[in-house]
Amino acid sequence: MSFAIEYKVALKELTSDRSNGLREFELDESEWVLAEDVMKYLKDGTLFFLRASPNLQKVIPAMDKIDEYFTTRLKDESLNVAICATIISAKSTLNKYYALTDDMEVYRIAMVLDPRYKLHYFKKAGWDDEWIQTS
């Protein structure tokens, strides 16, 4: 997607030309804005997770926030297929890493020990009682 945003002008010209047969991939201005917003969200998330000393107790809430953002965007049925595919791919990658936190108790322990979260975060997020007790 970063490539598409970098070459936005050329892609707009290419997809707007009917003779190319790419009209179905043409983005309107609101979709370009959304694409840029998604890229910013992905960049912010990447920078957060690449920090030299990430706060373990903030990893799960950050992943939940990113997942919520993607889920909300995917509910918009008018989205261009290319943007949907990008969001679905990003969401799939996020879910792969989220699943890895299940095998590492340190994330949940850090959250339970943090006075801002304790067990309240898990309850508010709708986690199963069994998972909360395991935490």
Side-chain angles (χ1 to χ4, degrees), residues 94-110:
L94 176 70
N95 289 339
K96 179 179 90 173
Y97 287 104
Y98 196 100
L100 293 174
T101 66
D102 291 344
D103 299 330
M104 303 177 105
E105 295 173 353
V106 69
Y107 292 102
R108 294 186 302 274
I109 291 169

